[in-house]
Amino acid sequence: MQKDRNRANDYRQKAMEGDARAMNNLGTCYHRGDGVVENHATAFEWYMKAAEAGDVYAYFNVAECYWNGDGVEQNYEQSAVWYRKAAEEGDMQAQVNLANQYFLGQGVEKDHAEANKWWTEAAFKGHTQSMINLATNYWNGDGVEKSMEECAFWYGLAAQNGNPHACFAIGWLYQHGMGVKEDKFLARKWIQKAVWLGHQPAADYLKEHKL
């Protein structure tokens, strides 16, 4: 479309003048084929130019390209480098992805404490899966000191976000008084909510224990 071509040309002009955000946006145009012929290698080149010029969005895009081998040879070490740059600037998804790399030891030395650090950053921004990961690790003492109180805290937040597994988990914790004060009413409330959300283990538990 002409509108897309005009936008791409505008980004190109600004990029040639040194505008880092325009460089990133032009990269996105090439990645999507908006106003230009789709070319992922060219997209990566513009993302990298933007990243080297300090654009935070480009940090993430460069990391994604390295992670997926999209427009550039796949390189987990480099994806971690660029995810970290974006994570340090507060990008939530970069924090999650960097945590995942540390947890699995992909492109970095496996370090569950470092993974928990970045999941915590993302969790406080509202990322539900990071909350669940933290709850699980506090339950197991994996990369952190075991704490049922912290486990309950994170499952509770994830449950408030509507995650079925977390609803069941916090309900179970209330049922058994682990990490929270025993409360049969809240136990049933949360386990029932998990059932309503289609969580079969919660339905089985509710039936078995006749809550």
Side-chain angles (χ1 to χ4, degrees):
M1 295 175 60
Q2 186 61 45
K3 183 178 180 181
D4 289 336
R5 287 194 292 272
N6 290 342
R7 184 184 298 112
N9 287 335
D10 182 55
Y11 288 148
R12 186 185 306 279
Q13 179 61 41
K14 290 179 179 177
M16 297 301 290
E17 294 171 357
D19 187 313
R21 182 56 50 81
M23 294 174 192
N24 178 73
N25 292 345
L26 182 57
T28 300
C29 288
Y30 275 107
H31 194 265
R32 297 175 177 173
D34 290 344
V36 293
V37 176
E38 184 175 328
N39 187 318
H40 289 202
T42 301
F44 175 77
E45 290 175 5
W46 281 110
Y47 286 151
M48 182 57 82
K49 287 178 184 293
E52 290 174 342
D55 185 78
V56 177
Y57 293 103
Y59 293 164
F60 181 82
N61 289 334
V62 167
E64 287 282 279
C65 289
Y66 274 123
W67 176 260
N68 294 305
D70 188 0
V72 66
E73 185 176 352
Q74 189 174 54
N75 188 317
Y76 292 151
E77 291 81 3
Q78 283 299 309
S79 72
V81 168
W82 290 100
Y83 279 141
R84 177 175 288 279
K85 287 180 179 292
E88 289 173 344
E89 293 295 330
D91 186 286
M92 183 184 74
Q93 192 58 53
Q95 292 167 346
V96 172
N97 295 353
L98 182 61
N100 293 343
Q101 286 200 240
Y102 272 110
F103 192 77
L104 298 172
Q106 290 182 304
V108 293
E109 185 175 348
K110 185 180 290 188
D111 186 336
H112 287 192
E114 188 72 6
N116 289 328
K117 166 190 167 182
W118 290 110
W119 277 328
T120 300
E121 292 286 337
F124 276 122
K125 291 183 174 69
H127 192 262
T128 302
Q129 186 57 52
S130 292
M131 297 173 187
I132 293 171
N133 294 343
L134 288 168
T136 301
N137 288 349
Y138 276 111
W139 173 287
N140 294 318
D142 187 354
V144 289
E145 184 177 350
K146 183 179 177 70
S147 170
M148 294 310 299
E149 290 76 17
E150 286 290 331
C151 172
F153 172 77
W154 289 112
Y155 272 138
L157 287 184
Q160 290 173 30
N161 282 355
N163 181 271
H165 169 71
C167 290
F168 179 40
I170 191 63
W172 189 93
L173 291 172
Y174 274 117
Q175 177 71 12
H176 295 276
M178 296 180 66
V180 289
K181 184 178 179 180
E182 184 178 316
D183 189 321
K184 302 300 184 185
F185 173 79
L186 288 176
R188 180 176 177 79
K189 168 192 170 182
W190 284 111
I191 295 173
Q192 186 67 63
K193 183 172 182 179
V195 174
W196 291 336
L197 292 170
H199 193 63
Q200 189 58 46
D204 294 340
Y205 185 87
L206 201 63
K207 182 178 180 180
E208 180 182 353
H209 294 272
K210 298 181 174 61
L211 297 182

